[in-house]
Amino acid sequence: MPKITELRGLFKPFTKPLHRQWKWVWQEKGKFNEPKLTLPKALEDRQINIIDPLHEPDPNALPDESTPWISPTRHPMFEYLVPPLPREQHPLFHHDRSVFLFDSKTRLHAGVDQACLLTKTIPFYELPQSIKQTLGQVSLPDQDDLIQSYIRQSIAYDATKEHLPRKKSPLKQRRSFRIEYGIPRSRQMSIVLENMIYLCESLGGHYPDLFKRHLYRNIPFYTTYERYGELIHLRKQNEYVLTSHIPLSPIVKRLDKLEITSGNNTNEQITSHDPNGHYLIQANDYQFLDMYPIYPTIDLSLEQLYQDGDEQGWKQRKSNEYVHTIFHVSNDELIHEATADERLARMIMFTFGSALVQARQLYPNGILTKPVTIQSIFFLDELFHFIVFQLNTLNYNDTNDKQCNYVWIDKDNYLYDNRPSMVMHNPVYGTERNLQRYVLEKLIYNPSVFQKFLALYLQGVK
Amino acid sequence: MYSIIRNNVARVLQRDLTSILGSLSRSTTTNTTSPSIETRKVDDNSTKSDSQSSDITKTTDVKVPWKANVIEMPVAMSSQYIIDNFREHRESGFYYDHRIIIPKMPEKYTVKPFETRKTGGNHPDTGRKEYRRVGGGLKKTWLWIDTMRQGPKSGPPLVERVIRIMNSDCHTAKVALIGHGNTPRYILATENLKVGDLVKTSGEIPKNPVKASEGDAYPVGALPIGTIVNCVEGYPGQGAKYAINAGTYATIMKRIDDRCILQLPTKHEISILEQCMVTVGRLSNVEHNEFIYGKAGATRLMGIRPKLGLFHPKTSRFGRRPFRPRPILVITGEKPEHPNVLKLQHPSLDPYR
């Protein structure tokens, strides 16, 4: 007969609760009832072994004939718990061939001339005549007033109020600016740009082709191409890309008496009033820059982590998507951080890259029958650069090949003239509030900039 | 050193100037005419004329026009060089100066500027105040300057081009960005260097002395007596040690057997081997010692704290002291060993184990 001290806690309906003594009673008599592992009803018929990781395996169990269980290493869901892979084990790391990387942050110290050496182009510092003739022809009613209202909206009349990044002046290291709240720059520029594009689209009543265009935002872009035996890789996140269903027509159709467009009359005389002849005569005077002990790839860094192939942003190769313009908009840069030369060089390289991708898709043989043209626009609060690029060759390895690409550059167009800046000592102190006041009261607007914008937008229509 | 205050302005303005004036010269060779690639005619900015009349018959691949006649040499400096030669390199960072620490040194030579930390005059090991009058000031960015100008020992010299000249926060002389092939590097600029100049280095010692032109680097045995020279090495392969500061220069006085005697800017004479590399000319920023700060705040921005002097006892320690000239310092080629790590040989003396 057990003693009453041993029976304590066992007759649940007959005992009082243990309170403070629960701990010591549990130490002596505590038991954990493990749940029995049973098979669910649907699987009772089969002979399945239950693997209990907390206990030793059953020696009588049947051998495991199914596939062994492999732990999921580096599942993307749990990447944040594990230390990151070293660079050499990344799947895109190429051990054999390294590549010169051109990013949206590289700077070519020799500017446009260095970019022209790398891409075999000839620059002209004016817009082509076929675009100049159409500058003032098409205009919207009230276009000046509307754009001035967009500028005012982007700077002052917008309801966002966010903590802006701290301003710094390169003149004086210890000058500290106050914390400011206002409209961030990305939003400022997107307001102006998107409204301008929307304005241009409103001409769709006259030109129904405009409705077949698409505007892509934040799409990736990368290519590789070979220049005299060295691979160059271009990589960028395009902020805005305009596409159309028809490719742009080339601006210069005859190059050195070689017929590129099919089905035209062959006129061997190049007269001076012929717009195509004007550019050919000018092109023969241009000499490529001789940077004797320096290679033009000096500013590019060697990279082994890159992705092969071309990528334009849309996955399936849609036969009706041709790139029309690329808009270069950068939110982190200030005007004084890079020169116009470096920015133009960057634009030239990336338009060249997208033209290359388009040409490779249209002519997989490597022989261009019709040149490819692409436009691009650079925009950074009130500064505009316009570029028209024409691709004529796909050969960048032969020294004897004399066909080059053409680039028309129109730089330093200011939308409004008097924006106070922090670089030089100026009487208008550059806070956001003063910016607003100054721009709202004394806006000096330049209407020619939007005319060029419209003219470039309406290329390839009709 | 006053460059710190105006450094950023100069950086901003110099970029515009170089783009406006045209940093690189244009030659008369054209791509559309016959492929006359082997002729290198550089007209405008180069004032160099070398007496070496060696015909350059280098076998190049004619396919790449910009690679013709270019000799490629990798940069000799690396972080291993710093670990071997500088005692002040520690795991916590590279103590370049008694004022500046560079927290992380990469393995290879880079051109991008480094962000630094300040010591405040404290010793890195003990943590106590070791140097007076050090503390505060503006932030400094450090540029890794290549002091080893190695050249090919036979054959045509290594030619490089000046891309940019800038001021540096941590050096009194001006710094020039130089490039050849795909490698850019920094060197200390001499007085009359301009953007777009060509600069040579060669390691050859011919029988007749070489007619020196400014900015070029030759071994000491190749130069005639009386040339003005800077960035002098102690023994071949060491790196520049003497005459590194702004406006300084050394002069070559004599040549005995295979050693040369130079006079340093302190009027002390030194004898070094013939193969030590040396650059010709006087270093830039000659008016550095004539700079007037103008106010006490400028010295504080340099990182110089005030000095005690009013009620201190004065001894005659720093008065007029005419010294006898010191004898010539002869430097042999043996490299001294600077171990960075002290190894305890008797572990039993360690009380914690």
Side-chain angles (χ1 to χ4, degrees):
Chain A
M1 176 70 182
K3 290 183 186 171
I4 204 163
T5 49
E6 288 168 0
L7 293 172
R8 196 163 185 199
L10 290 175
F11 295 111
K12 200 176 163 185
F14 299 106
T15 56
K16 288 186 180 170
L18 292 169
H19 297 303
R20 199 158 42 102
Q21 286 79 16
W22 191 92
K23 275 183 253 176
W24 301 300
V25 174
W26 175 263
Q27 273 174 23
E28 296 189 20
K29 296 180 187 171
K31 256 198 266 180
F32 228 147
N33 289 327
E34 290 173 5
K36 290 178 189 172
L37 293 173
T38 53
L39 292 170
K41 281 182 192 173
L43 297 173
E44 268 171 359
D45 305 333
R46 308 188 202 173
Q47 286 175 328
I48 296 172
N49 292 330
I50 298 169
I51 300 171
D52 196 10
L54 294 172
H55 299 277
E56 284 174 13
D58 190 11
N60 302 328
L62 297 164
D64 196 11
E65 283 162 356
S66 59
T67 53
W69 178 76
I70 305 164
S71 68
T73 50
R74 305 214 78 96
H75 195 270
M77 221 173 110
F78 305 111
E79 279 277 343
Y80 68 98
L81 295 167
V82 173
L85 267 181
R87 274 188 99 214
E88 278 111 38
Q89 289 172 23
H90 202 273
L92 295 175
F93 192 85
H94 297 252
H95 292 271
D96 45 350
R97 190 97 194 249
S98 64
V99 129
F100 287 107
L101 177 71
F102 190 90
D103 212 356
S104 55
K105 306 216 166 170
T106 48
R107 288 173 160 194
L108 301 178
H109 71 269
V112 171
D113 298 316
Q114 199 178 349
C116 291
L117 243 192
L118 279 176
T119 58
K120 209 170 163 188
T121 57
I122 294 171
F124 303 108
Y125 286 95
E126 55 181 1
L127 278 181
Q129 276 176 10
S130 54
I131 293 176
K132 273 191 199 171
Q133 286 160 9
T134 61
L135 263 188
Q137 284 172 7
V138 182
S139 70
L140 298 152
D142 297 335
Q143 73 181 18
D144 291 340
D145 295 332
L146 280 172
I147 288 172
Q148 288 182 42
S149 70
Y150 296 149
I151 294 167
R152 290 191 187 106
Q153 184 193 350
S154 73
I155 288 173
Y157 297 128
D158 197 44
T160 48
K161 197 169 184 186
E162 286 179 27
H163 183 92
L164 298 174
R166 278 254 177 158
K167 278 188 190 162
K168 283 184 187 176
S169 73
L171 273 190
K172 199 175 168 188
Q173 220 190 83
R174 290 206 158 171
R175 183 179 177 193
S176 66
F177 295 89
R178 278 196 169 174
I179 297 170
E180 278 164 4
Y181 294 90
I183 308 167
R185 297 179 113 242
S186 56
R187 202 180 150 81
Q188 276 181 12
M189 297 208 272
S190 65
I191 285 171
V192 178
L193 235 196
E194 293 193 12
N195 282 325
M196 281 166 93
I197 294 169
Y198 189 70
L199 235 199
C200 299
E201 264 182 352
S202 65
L203 283 171
H206 290 289
Y207 311 106
D209 283 341
L210 293 180
F211 290 133
K212 296 180 190 171
R213 292 190 176 177
H214 300 287
L215 182 68
Y216 288 92
R217 283 146 226 234
N218 272 329
I219 51 172
F221 165 73
Y222 55 84
T223 47
T224 46
Y225 76 100
E226 206 176 331
R227 176 73 169 146
Y228 287 138
E230 281 159 29
L231 284 177
I232 298 174
H233 184 76
L234 307 167
R235 198 196 286 173
K236 197 189 185 232
Q237 278 273 43
N238 279 327
E239 285 97 1
Y240 293 96
V241 173
L242 239 193
T243 56
S244 66
H245 68 290
I246 304 169
L248 282 170
S249 59
I251 291 165
V252 178
K253 286 160 197 159
R254 257 183 288 125
L255 307 168
D256 280 338
K257 301 180 185 176
L258 297 167
E259 281 296 323
I260 287 183
T261 55
S262 56
N264 273 358
N265 299 326
T266 56
N267 288 327
E268 289 200 351
Q269 286 175 353
I270 299 169
T271 52
S272 59
H273 67 265
D274 188 7
N276 301 338
H278 168 66
Y279 294 118
L280 297 175
I281 291 162
Q282 260 189 355
N284 283 327
D285 300 334
Y286 182 73
Q287 295 142 20
F288 284 101
L289 188 64
D290 182 34
M291 351 176 17
Y292 153 56
I294 305 176
Y295 303 161
T297 50
I298 195 175
D299 295 308
L300 312 179
S301 52
L302 280 171
E303 265 280 339
Q304 282 168 320
L305 236 190
Y306 61 97
Q307 213 162 4
D308 292 318
D310 310 335
E311 166 81 31
Q312 274 233 337
W314 43 89
K315 284 186 185 172
Q316 290 141 15
R317 211 243 121 184
K318 300 176 190 174
S319 56
N320 275 338
E321 296 269 9
Y322 299 101
V323 175
H324 185 271
T325 51
I326 302 172
F327 295 91
H328 290 254
V329 174
S330 66
N331 307 320
D332 305 326
E333 242 184 282
L334 301 171
I335 279 185
H336 60 265
E337 274 183 24
T339 53
D341 238 0
E342 288 162 0
R343 286 185 176 138
L344 289 168
R346 241 181 262 162
M347 285 166 83
I348 289 171
M349 295 290 290
F350 286 122
T351 44
F352 164 78
S354 49
L356 248 191
V357 171
Q358 203 176 312
R360 277 178 190 166
Q361 283 171 356
L362 288 174
Y363 310 102
N365 298 331
I367 303 162
L368 272 185
T369 49
K370 197 175 175 190
V372 171
T373 47
I374 286 185
Q375 299 163 356
S376 83
I377 298 173
F378 175 88
F379 175 49
L380 180 79
D381 45 49
E382 106 245 12
L383 182 65
F384 274 88
H385 296 311
F386 300 109
I387 271 185
V388 182
F389 190 93
Q390 180 176 333
L391 189 86
N392 297 322
T393 53
L394 285 174
N395 269 335
Y396 299 101
N397 280 323
D398 292 331
T399 45
N400 299 324
D401 194 14
K402 291 159 197 175
Q403 258 189 15
C404 305
N405 310 320
Y406 294 135
V407 162
W408 287 268
I409 298 171
D410 189 3
K411 57 180 185 174
D412 287 339
N413 298 301
Y414 290 94
L415 237 197
Y416 53 97
D417 270 333
N418 47 1
R419 185 175 172 124
S421 72
M422 236 76 60
V423 182
M424 306 307 279
H425 179 70
N426 70 64
V428 183
Y429 191 66
T431 50
E432 293 294 321
R433 191 84 186 100
N434 281 338
L435 218 203
Q436 289 174 15
R437 278 188 210 140
Y438 209 72
V439 168
L440 292 174
E441 291 166 17
K442 305 175 198 175
L443 189 70
I444 302 170
Y445 177 68
N446 190 6
S448 64
V449 174
F450 185 69
Q451 280 178 10
K452 291 178 188 171
F453 193 94
L454 238 194
L456 284 181
Y457 188 88
L458 290 174
Q459 286 293 306
V461 141
K462 292 176 212 170
Chain B
M1 288 287 251
Y2 58 85
S3 65
I4 297 167
I5 297 171
R6 297 189 206 135
N7 194 19
N8 289 303
V9 178
R11 224 188 276 155
V12 164
L13 294 174
Q14 249 164 26
R15 267 188 232 137
D16 294 330
L17 286 172
T18 52
S19 67
I20 289 163
L21 299 172
S23 57
L24 296 166
S25 66
R26 288 166 190 260
S27 76
T28 52
T29 58
T30 61
N31 264 15
T32 51
T33 56
S34 63
S36 57
I37 292 158
E38 261 106 32
T39 63
R40 10 176 216 114
K41 282 199 284 170
V42 180
D43 300 325
D44 320 330
N45 283 333
S46 61
T47 57
K48 311 282 171 270
S49 60
D50 206 10
S51 71
Q52 277 179 345
S53 58
S54 54
D55 286 332
I56 295 159
T57 52
K58 194 176 184 294
T59 52
T60 61
D61 35 276
V62 183
K63 285 184 190 173
V64 187
W66 66 59
K67 276 193 184 173
N69 290 329
V70 174
I71 300 161
E72 293 186 34
M73 278 187 76
V75 176
M77 264 210 144
S78 63
S79 67
Q80 192 59 40
Y81 168 83
I82 285 180
I83 290 166
D84 294 337
N85 296 43
F86 286 82
R87 298 187 74 210
E88 290 82 18
H89 186 257
R90 292 173 171 77
E91 277 177 25
S92 60
F94 171 47
Y95 282 74
Y96 171 74
D97 213 349
H98 61 281
R99 294 171 188 266
I100 283 163
I101 306 165
I102 293 119
K104 206 176 175 188
M105 287 295 276
E107 292 165 2
K108 274 203 279 181
Y109 179 84
T110 49
V111 164
K112 88 176 168 87
F114 291 87
E115 287 179 1
T116 61
R117 254 193 290 144
K118 292 175 202 156
T119 61
N122 299 319
H123 193 267
D125 296 331
T126 55
R128 293 183 175 181
K129 194 97 181 173
E130 187 81 12
Y131 304 101
R132 307 188 283 180
R133 301 193 66 194
V134 170
L138 293 172
K139 288 184 189 174
K140 298 184 186 179
T141 56
W142 184 74
L143 300 169
W144 194 347
I145 291 176
D146 190 13
T147 51
M148 317 217 328
R149 289 193 71 171
Q150 307 287 344
K153 303 235 163 136
S154 60
L158 172 70
V159 183
E160 286 168 312
R161 190 160 223 155
V162 175
I163 299 169
R164 215 188 302 153
I165 295 176
M166 53 233 253
N167 297 321
S168 159
D169 296 337
C170 305
H171 307 270
T172 51
K174 292 198 184 176
V175 169
L177 217 207
I178 263 182
H180 77 281
N182 275 323
T183 48
R185 57 180 184 153
Y186 288 120
I187 59 157
L188 294 170
T190 54
E191 205 179 346
N192 293 323
L193 262 191
K194 276 175 286 175
V195 176
D197 284 351
L198 291 176
V199 160
K200 288 183 200 156
T201 62
S202 76
E204 208 182 324
I205 305 176
K207 285 182 203 171
N208 299 322
V210 168
K211 185 181 171 187
S213 50
E214 204 176 313
D216 299 346
Y218 296 103
V220 186
L223 292 168
I225 296 171
T227 43
I228 283 174
V229 131
N230 61 60
C231 293
V232 179
E233 286 184 346
Y235 48 84
Q238 184 197 20
K241 195 165 178 201
Y242 307 103
I244 307 173
N245 292 315
T248 51
Y249 57 93
T251 45
I252 301 177
M253 312 285 275
K254 280 186 224 169
R255 216 185 288 163
I256 299 170
D257 292 341
D258 66 329
R259 291 190 149 255
C260 296
I261 293 175
L262 311 172
Q263 192 190 42
L264 298 180
T266 52
K267 312 277 172 51
H268 186 212
E269 292 183 353
I270 198 175
S271 110
I272 50 176
L273 283 172
E274 246 188 357
Q275 294 100 20
C276 300
M277 297 296 291
V278 123
T279 60
V280 177
R282 193 180 173 187
L283 275 174
S284 54
N285 217 0
V286 176
E287 307 118 357
H288 174 71
N289 55 357
E290 295 162 18
F291 176 67
I292 300 169
Y293 291 113
K295 57 176 191 178
T299 45
R300 293 304 297 274
L301 288 173
M302 293 291 141
I304 299 169
R305 289 195 68 238
K307 174 176 149 180
L308 309 166
L310 192 56
F311 297 111
H312 258 228
K314 313 270 192 290
T315 62
S316 59
R317 187 177 166 202
F318 296 111
R320 188 180 79 97
R321 318 192 73 192
F323 285 121
R324 247 180 271 156
R326 287 196 272 174
I328 297 172
L329 178 69
V330 174
I331 298 179
T332 53
E334 288 156 17
K335 220 164 136 181
E337 288 171 10
H338 290 298
N340 271 325
V341 177
L342 295 171
K343 288 178 190 167
L344 294 172
Q345 279 165 4
H346 292 278
S348 59
L349 293 174
D350 200 347
Y352 294 112
R353 272 158 225 179

